[in-house]
Every structure is written in C-alpha cells, then in structure tokens.
Amino acid sequence: MQTRYSYGGDEHIFVEMDEEMSLEAFFKSMSITNALRSAYIEGVTEICPANGSFQVKFDPDRIAPDDLMGRLRALEQAADRAEKRLETRIVEVPVYYRDPWTTETLMRFRERHQDPQSTDLDYAARVNGYDTVEQFIHAHHASPWFVSMVGFVAGLPFLYQLVERSRQIQVPKYLRPRTDTPKHTIGHGGCFGCVYSVRGAGGYQMFGITPMPIYDPTQKVSYLRDFMVFFRPGDIVKWKPIDHEEYDAITADVAANRYEPRIRKVTFDLDGFNADIDGTNQRLMETLHGV
C-alpha cells in the first residue's frame, strides 16, 4: 500500500491508504483512527473514517498542520506493526430478491441504465459471467460481507464481499442517477454493496429489499432504542433470502416490536482470513447459526 496525505484547505487532512479498497487498507485506516482518538491530540476536532481512507479536521490555531501530519505518519508506522484482529459481530439480514417495489422503481428509470431492455439483476448476472439470475443471487448471498463504512446517507452501510478478488461481484452504477430508490433497497455499485437506509435518489443497481430497519431517528424500533443507526464499521453481514410471505411476516414483527435480528459476537483475524478464506467463512457461518 502507498499511503497518500493531502491538505484540504486550512482545517482538514485527507489520508488515503491505497488507490483500491482492500481489507488491508481498512484495517490500517482503522488502526490509525482508533489510535488518533485514544491520543486526544490537542486541536483535533473530528475524525471521519471512510473505507480505506479517513479525514481529520483540526484547529490550526491549536496545532500546526505540519505537526499533525508528523503525528499521523508516526501512527501509520505503528499501524504497520499492529495486530490485524477485530472483535466484532456477524449479523443476518433478510433479503427479498426481485421484490415488486424495487422492480417497479427500476422499470421507471430504464433510460438511465446501461441495458434498458433488462433488469438490474439480469444485467449484474451477465456482466459477472453467470448464466442465470438464480446463480447470481446465490453468489450474492452465499458468502458474508464486511461493513467497511457507515455514512454518506445517515445509517447507510457500504459492504465488501468476503471472497477472493476474482470472485467478488463487480457492477457499475447507473449511467445517470435515479431520483427515487425505495427505503431498505439492497444495492450494488463497483465493488461495494449497500443498504439504502432512507428513500431517495441513488445510482446503485437494485437487487432486492430488506424488511429489517437499519436507521430509526425516532428510536421506536426495539433493537434501535439505544442507538438510531444499526450498522457499525467492521460488522460482518450474511444475507438471508426470503420470499414475499416471509417479508410480510417480518414487517409485522417489526411493527409489533417482536423482531430481533440474529447477531453473534465473532473475532475476525485478517491474516487467518487471507490464509483460508473459505474456512474462515465457514466458521463465521457456524458461529452465526450456533453450530
């Protein structure tokens, strides 16, 4: 990795771990930002991590920019020696693929798509080399995903597929953004998946929808009463395919405050994952289901 530092005006430093997103870049960025928070450096007012990069806001009247840059470089050297282990959690998220709501939406915006004659799933399956949409859907939910960032829109997670690079789903965004995307849409653009936390504009391909709320500013949803945003950077997500009947049942349970996501604590070791990706993912699944 080749770390790049740059100033953004008088009060910001932007640090990019690498030109491409990777788990190595994420762990290095996480190590630096965690250490920076713990250091309580005079003049640092805000730390904003984003995938394999981060931005630091500072008060130049309280700390000289070059001094802060020197502190960050020292933290980077320490991060290279840090253990790449994360105490986190694995979460099961139900997904209704080919649901009627995202299907209706995508059909309204076909003129903005690379292939107006197909659906988003058809297109994604084809560009990723799958013979059928069913094969593509299986590839999408069969392996876990890693939450590399939460933000851009309040509570929206960006997810990175935990498979070899050659097997990762890659699909471009729409040619022009939509003005509408249903709340809780499961989307994908580039190498990242996402869950749209609110209804609004968007450009990611739409694969399905989840009945599970992930952002609740009213904090009325039972599992969001302590914190309005569900996902955290470092979470591991496993999609669970559901049908329309299951979608309706979960929606009713959420409304009645009966629904609780399946969540288990796990330790994610990056070196162990790189040494045995399939074995690591199998152990994650066993932990999720209590095997």
Side-chain angles (χ1 to χ4, degrees), residues 19 31 41 43 51 56 66 70 81 105 124 145 164 174 183 240 251:
E19 291 185 355
S31 178
I41 297 174
N51 295 319
V56 180
D66 289 346
R81 301 186 296 270
T105 303
W145 296 66
E164 295 89 347
Y174 275 45
K183 183 179 180 180
K240 178 186 178 182
T251 300

Side-chain angles (χ1 to χ4, degrees), residues 41-276:
I41 297 174
E42 176 71 18
V44 172
T45 58
E46 190 173 352
I47 304 164
C48 181
N51 295 319
S53 63
F54 63 91
Q55 182 172 274
V56 180
K57 184 178 181 180
F58 63 97
D59 182 348
D61 293 329
R62 296 162 63 193
I63 183 170
D66 289 346
D67 290 346
L68 177 56
M69 186 75 81
R71 297 289 295 271
L72 291 174
R73 292 186 186 279
L75 291 176
E76 180 192 358
Q77 292 179 356
D80 288 333
R81 301 186 296 270
E83 189 176 40
K84 298 177 179 62
R85 291 170 62 91
L86 179 65
E87 298 300 324
T88 185
R89 57 186 189 162
I90 184 168
V91 181
E92 186 174 77
V93 177
V95 180
Y96 180 13
Y97 291 96
R98 290 189 284 200
D99 66 281
W101 304 283
T102 59
T103 299
E104 185 277 331
T105 303
L106 67 88
M107 295 307 295
R108 284 192 280 120
F109 293 96
R110 295 327 287 163
E111 80 282 359
R112 306 186 183 201
H113 195 272
Q114 291 87 347
D115 186 354
Q117 303 305 314
S118 71
T119 68
D120 292 9
L121 277 168
D122 288 330
Y123 175 72
R126 185 170 68 256
V127 299
N128 282 277
Y130 292 96
D131 294 330
T132 66
V133 169
E134 288 72 20
Q135 290 176 354
F136 176 80
I137 290 174
H138 181 267
H140 186 264
H141 71 73
S143 58
W145 296 66
F146 189 90
V147 176
S148 59
M149 171 183 164
V150 178
F152 182 71
V153 173
L156 184 151
F158 288 83
L159 302 110
Y160 188 77
Q161 196 173 20
L162 291 177
V163 295
E164 295 89 347
R165 281 287 183 94
S166 61
R167 292 169 50 200
Q168 284 181 341
I169 291 171
Q170 299 271 350
V171 59
K173 297 189 291 185
Y174 275 45
L175 296 175
R176 291 187 293 129
R178 301 177 302 274
T179 56
D180 189 23
T181 307
K183 183 179 180 180
H184 300 153
T185 290
I186 308 300
H188 198 100
C191 68
F192 289 107
C194 82
V195 184
Y196 283 80
S197 53
V198 296
R199 182 176 184 177
Y204 277 21
Q205 307 286 337
M206 296 184 289
F207 297 161
I209 200 165
T210 179
M212 176 182 149
I214 63 168
Y215 171 65
D216 178 22
T218 69
Q219 294 182 265
K220 293 179 179 179
V221 175
S222 59
Y223 56 87
L224 295 175
R225 285 175 178 159
D226 293 332
F227 194 62
M228 68 180 69
V229 174
F230 179 76
F231 286 110
R232 312 165 189 167
D235 277 349
I236 297 171
V237 173
K238 177 63 171 63
W239 309 120
K240 178 186 178 182
I242 60 173
D243 58 23
H244 202 149
E245 183 178 351
E246 291 171 301
Y247 178 93
D248 289 344
I250 293 173
T251 300
D253 285 344
V254 169
N257 278 326
R258 293 191 300 263
Y259 183 74
E260 291 294 330
R262 182 189 293 269
I263 303 172
R264 299 289 185 270
K265 294 181 179 179
V266 294
T267 300
F268 184 81
D269 182 278
L270 181 58
D271 291 335
F273 171 78
N274 286 332
D276 184 8

